[in-house]
Amino acid sequence: MAASVREKQAAALKRMLNFNTSPLKNTAAEPVWKVLIYDRFGQDIISPLLAVKELRDMGITLHLLLHSDRDPIPDVPAIYFVMPTEENIDRICQDLRNQLYESYYLNFISAISRSKLEDIASAALSANAVTQVTKVFDQYLNFITLEDDMFILCNQNKELISYHAINKPDIMDTEMEAIMDTIVDSLFCFFVTLGAVPIIRCPRGNAAEMVAVKLDKKLRENLRDARNSLFTGDNMGAGQFSFQRPLFVLADRNLDLATPLHHTWTYQALIHDVLDFHLNRVSMDESVGSEASPSGARPKKKNKKSYDLTAADKFWQKHKGSPFPEVAESVQEELDTYRAQEDEVKRLKSIMGLEGEDEGPISSISMSDNTAKLTSAVSSLPELLEKKRLIDLHTNVATAVLDHIKSRKLDVYFEYEEKLMSKSTLEKSLLDIISDPDAGTPEDKMRLFLIFYITALQPPSETDLDQYKKALLETGCDLSSLNYIKQWKAFTKIAATPSNYGNSGVKPMGQSVVINYLVRKNRVFKVFFFQNLPVTRILDNLMEMKSNPETDDYRYFDPKMLRGSESSTPRNKNPFQEAIVFVVGGGNYIEYQNLVDYTKAKPGKRVLYGCSELFNAGQFIKQVGGPPALGVRPKWQPITHIVHYYPMWPWSKVVH
């Protein structure tokens, strides 16, 4: 089976850590001990892929931040993995002058410019360290892989390419060009690592089109230079998509603003929504001691507990996309299985006549009888301990999620939003939920109301809207996000955008089928989704070559063609087997899981999901309503090419 993007990026990192030579398999030779120096960007790329143990196995004795205080280690080689920024180049030059290491292997996350390369050469010359700079490489790894089929562009400085940054009303053309160039540079790195030249499809008149045009140009220029092309030889031969070129679908976040606000019900998406979950690590506060603090005393400090949810965690891989009640049941089943295995070990101890001894390592049992069962029990002990660790991990995480569900009544919000989106009969009025002081936080209420506003076929009357606003303000809601959504909603009617927000209304979570499965003690529902989200629906149209008004006008780019084409008609009429979906303006785990479910229903298909940044609903609301608020009249007349690419902006037609 072809390697996943995670496996390919991890292999590229391991090759880099082996001085840019392929690591030898099944070798007993000691690794060369070395130091790894990275910046925050490099740290974010490595941390979801390689554990500290793996770094040690590759000879990394120390891994340090570039801009930290570092002592000289003159007899050890240093591998640098950094972005080619002015600040980083200056620090590398300083290291050369200070003679910190024996030799320097400089690896840049994305391509370094000739002028910066000359700066390093000048510093090495003046420090008499030319021979010590052993290798300089452009790694083209400027993206972060979170799953086998999911990637994001960055975690550091993500506000520079955020939804707010792209859609703010006072943006200048130079700023927009810089944002687009940053996104395109990362996408180019992604396809170099993947070893594939895609067929690009994108809608007209938004940020996705601008990215598509620039990416097509960058790929085309690289392919034209046959001598230095990054898509020839070994790269292409080992590509994930070696038999058929993949489809690359660019979507704009403005296509669907309801899904990022939705209260979700699957395990991974819930963790991202209610807990601190970044780069596959979840962090939670836990109180020190269970007793209450005496009156007037300082509250007890909270420890920060972190857990890594990795590909090696089989429970996580199996259940991250499952409905939460199913996860709770599975944790209990795993715990029962573990206890049964533990009891079996204890029973064997009793048979061996050790029941009166203190608890100790199983390996201390006399092996004189050498029974098969005892040998099996002892050999399975490490696996049993690891299983116990994972059970404890998911018990703690699931308990923390459940606390949020119960305290904020998230099951009520989820069920109500599902009914709003599927146009089902509502048993309770929206105003009652907003006014209920025990139902959720002000943010939960605002999310629910925004989804109601987006999905409504007709916006509420001014009288009703004032009533809703009053109720929201009384509960402490910030209405700045509503002002933007109102302008966005008004413009989608004018522009008649192909996002299926028309006659049947928006269905961000789809026409779901609710199974009447009720966990009584928690009052939570198990729900299965059968309808595709807007992003998945668009992918299906383009991947299966279906004729649909929603996607018929999408632009078509083939970087391998000698001349660019303005056509919307694809040259290839066969359905695609592999595709990458990328959302400009940010994505979420709800869309990712919907694509995973779609792929499971399509045997033989492979789909990857990517986004410029990954945000939860709280972060998205802050971007939409945060200062400076979106949707304000711009202070300048839009530049011509910006108007061409951004007719969707609310102020371009609504504000006069």
Side-chain angles (χ1 to χ4, degrees):
M1 186 177 178
S4 68
V5 64
R6 172 154 57 184
E7 290 169 335
K8 290 186 74 65
Q9 191 176 32
L13 288 172
K14 288 177 181 178
R15 187 168 58 249
M16 177 192 78
L17 297 176
N18 198 48
F19 304 115
N20 286 292
T21 58
S22 297
L24 296 175
K25 294 181 179 179
N26 304 322
T27 177
E30 279 280 324
V32 177
W33 302 111
K34 48 205 173 262
V35 178
L36 173 63
I37 310 297
Y38 47 51
D39 61 1
R40 292 289 183 189
F41 290 89
Q43 185 181 37
D44 288 344
I45 292 167
I46 293 172
S47 62
L49 296 174
L50 300 176
V52 173
K53 182 182 181 303
E54 291 177 276
L55 294 177
R56 291 278 156 81
D57 290 343
M58 298 203 68
I60 302 297
T61 56
L62 276 175
H63 42 95
L64 304 166
L65 284 167
L66 175 66
H67 294 284
S68 61
D69 293 330
R70 290 175 281 117
D71 296 324
I73 313 177
D75 55 347
V76 172
I79 295 175
Y80 285 72
F81 184 54
V82 297
M83 288 289 285
T85 62
E86 290 285 353
E87 186 183 19
N88 288 349
I89 299 301
D90 289 345
R91 187 58 188 259
I92 290 171
C93 294
Q94 183 181 326
D95 289 355
L96 291 172
R97 287 190 290 270
N98 294 339
Q99 299 282 311
L100 288 188
Y101 307 110
E102 177 190 66
S103 55
Y104 301 82
Y105 295 78
L106 306 181
N107 298 275
F108 294 102
I109 296 171
S110 59
I112 185 173
S113 66
R114 184 175 180 84
S115 62
K116 289 175 182 173
L117 207 53
E118 288 172 354
D119 291 341
I120 294 175
S122 299
L125 199 61
S126 62
N128 197 25
V130 174
T131 56
Q132 291 175 276
V133 181
T134 311
K135 289 183 180 179
V136 181
F137 272 85
D138 292 333
Q139 290 293 344
Y140 295 99
L141 293 172
N142 191 17
F143 62 96
I144 301 169
T145 307
L146 299 178
E147 304 284 349
D148 285 341
D149 48 6
M150 182 183 188
F151 70 99
I152 60 175
L153 297 194
C154 66
N155 186 54
Q156 300 295 323
N157 299 337
K158 59 185 179 182
E159 66 278 357
L160 299 179
I161 59 170
S162 66
Y163 178 84
H164 183 276
I166 294 171
N167 291 276
K168 64 182 181 180
D170 55 348
I171 190 168
M172 303 301 292
D173 59 335
T174 50
E175 292 177 289
M176 182 58 70
E177 289 287 344
I179 292 171
M180 296 298 108
D181 288 341
T182 301
I183 293 173
V184 167
D185 176 70
S186 290
L187 288 175
F188 181 78
C189 291
F190 172 80
F191 285 109
V192 170
T193 303
L194 206 58
V197 181
I199 301 291
I200 305 171
R201 302 297 303 274
C202 72
R204 296 177 184 271
N206 53 32
E209 183 183 20
M210 196 171 186
V211 171
V213 171
K214 284 180 170 286
L215 180 62
D216 174 65
K217 181 182 177 185
K218 194 174 182 77
L219 289 168
R220 194 181 300 278
E221 288 173 350
N222 188 264
L223 289 167
R224 193 178 295 133
D225 184 1
R227 179 179 293 181
N228 298 312
S229 176
L230 297 163
F231 295 96
T232 55
D234 295 338
N235 281 342
M236 292 299 288
Q240 180 183 8
F241 304 109
S242 52
F243 297 107
Q244 185 190 30
R245 291 171 63 194
L247 171 69
F248 183 49
V249 179
L250 280 156
D252 192 280
R253 182 70 272 160
N254 283 309
L255 166 80
D256 174 15
L257 295 188
T259 299
L261 299 168
H262 188 49
H263 288 87
T264 183
W265 205 236
T266 55
Y267 191 33
Q268 186 178 42
L270 261 173
I271 291 173
H272 189 234
D273 189 11
V274 302
L275 302 178
D276 181 12
F277 186 44
H278 295 288
L279 302 180
N280 294 346
R281 172 171 290 183
V282 59
S283 301
M284 303 184 302
D285 289 327
E286 55 177 25
S287 299
V288 178
S290 56
E291 68 278 2
S293 301
S295 178
R298 286 183 179 179
K300 291 183 179 294
K301 289 184 179 179
K302 290 185 177 181
N303 288 335
K304 200 80 170 177
K305 191 78 173 176
S306 295
Y307 302 103
D308 290 318
L309 301 174
T310 66
D313 184 343
K314 292 180 181 178
F315 184 90
W316 174 248
Q317 290 303 308
K318 183 178 179 181
H319 294 290
K320 63 187 178 184
S322 301
F324 184 71
E326 192 176 292
V327 175
E329 288 177 1
S330 298
V331 170
Q332 186 60 47
E333 288 171 4
E334 289 286 326
L335 186 58
D336 292 342
T337 304
Y338 166 77
R339 284 173 176 165
Q341 291 174 307
E342 188 180 45
D343 289 343
E344 177 65 13
V345 173
K346 289 178 180 178
R347 188 182 68 81
L348 287 169
K349 285 177 66 179
S350 176
I351 292 172
M352 297 299 294
L354 300 174
E355 68 276 6
E357 295 193 14
D358 294 333
E359 288 291 328
I362 300 298
S363 57
S364 66
I365 298 175
S366 171
M367 298 297 291
S368 57
D369 292 342
N370 196 21
T371 63
K373 284 188 176 181
L374 189 59
T375 304
S376 174
V378 172
S379 62
S380 66
L381 186 60
E383 182 184 344
L384 205 59
L385 293 173
E386 175 63 11
K387 193 171 188 178
K388 179 65 165 62
R389 184 187 71 82
L390 294 177
I391 290 170
D392 290 343
L393 184 161
H394 288 286
T395 299
N396 293 338
V397 172
T399 301
V401 171
L402 184 59
D403 288 343
H404 281 275
I405 291 172
K406 294 196 304 189
S407 64
R408 293 163 57 182
K409 296 186 178 179
L410 297 184
D411 53 311
V412 174
Y413 281 93
F414 173 74
E415 184 186 6
Y416 199 91
E417 288 168 7
E418 279 290 295
K419 288 180 177 178
L420 277 176
M421 295 166 185
S422 60
K423 303 295 182 254
S424 302
T425 305
L426 302 174
E427 298 173 2
K428 195 174 183 180
S429 76
L430 179 63
L431 210 54
D432 288 343
I433 295 182
I434 292 174
S435 304
D436 184 354
D438 297 324
T441 62
E443 184 183 281
D444 290 324
K445 298 175 192 293
M446 197 67 220
R447 286 165 62 180
L448 175 63
F449 181 73
L450 290 176
I451 289 173
F452 160 74
Y453 193 91
I454 291 169
T455 56
L457 294 178
Q458 294 294 331
S461 65
E462 285 301 319
T463 305
D464 290 342
L465 189 59
D466 288 342
Q467 196 174 3
Y468 285 125
K469 282 183 176 180
K470 182 181 177 184
L472 289 166
L473 286 170
E474 286 174 354
T475 60
C477 292
D478 179 2
L479 301 185
S480 56
S481 54
L482 176 60
N483 298 329
Y484 176 73
I485 295 296
K486 280 174 69 178
Q487 291 192 16
W488 172 84
K489 173 96 171 177
F491 182 72
T492 55
K493 287 190 175 184
I494 296 172
T497 53
S499 53
N500 201 27
Y501 287 87
N503 297 333
S504 61
V506 187
K507 294 177 183 145
M509 285 306 293
Q511 190 80 27
S512 66
V513 177
V514 181
I515 309 300
N516 288 324
Y517 174 86
L518 187 63
V519 180
R520 299 284 179 187
K521 61 181 179 179
N522 300 325
R523 197 180 174 275
V524 289
F525 298 88
K526 180 185 281 187
V527 178
F528 299 91
F529 308 112
F530 293 94
Q531 186 74 16
N532 294 331
L533 295 177
V535 167
T536 308
R537 190 173 61 244
I538 285 168
L539 170 73
D540 183 55
N541 290 339
L542 296 172
M543 204 171 180
E544 300 294 342
M545 307 303 290
K546 296 176 181 176
S547 179
N548 190 297
E550 196 172 16
T551 53
D552 284 347
D553 196 40
Y554 269 46
R555 292 188 68 182
Y556 176 93
F557 298 90
D558 185 351
K560 284 193 173 183
M561 298 291 290
L562 291 177
R563 295 181 180 178
S565 172
E566 292 296 319
S567 172
S568 300
T569 306
R571 294 175 179 271
N572 176 24
K573 299 295 183 182
N574 298 321
F576 289 88
Q577 296 303 308
E578 297 99 3
I580 302 110
V581 184
F582 185 83
V583 184
V584 179
N588 53 77
Y589 279 111
I590 304 174
E591 286 176 336
Y592 164 67
Q593 188 56 48
N594 196 248
L595 284 165
V596 170
D597 294 339
Y598 166 82
T599 308
K600 286 178 181 176
K602 301 275 188 178
K605 303 283 187 182
R606 299 187 64 175
V607 177
L608 276 69
Y609 177 73
C611 50
S612 50
E613 65 163 327
L614 193 64
F615 47 56
N616 60 25
Q619 293 161 343
F620 183 58
I621 278 190
K622 287 175 183 174
Q623 287 197 41
V624 170
L630 296 180
V632 183
R633 179 183 174 90
K635 300 175 182 177
W636 52 278
Q637 289 298 319
I639 308 301
T640 306
H641 77 273
I642 297 293
V643 172
H644 172 69
Y645 285 114
Y646 290 89
M648 275 193 69
W649 284 348
W651 55 85
S652 61
K653 289 191 178 180
V654 175
V655 182
H656 299 288

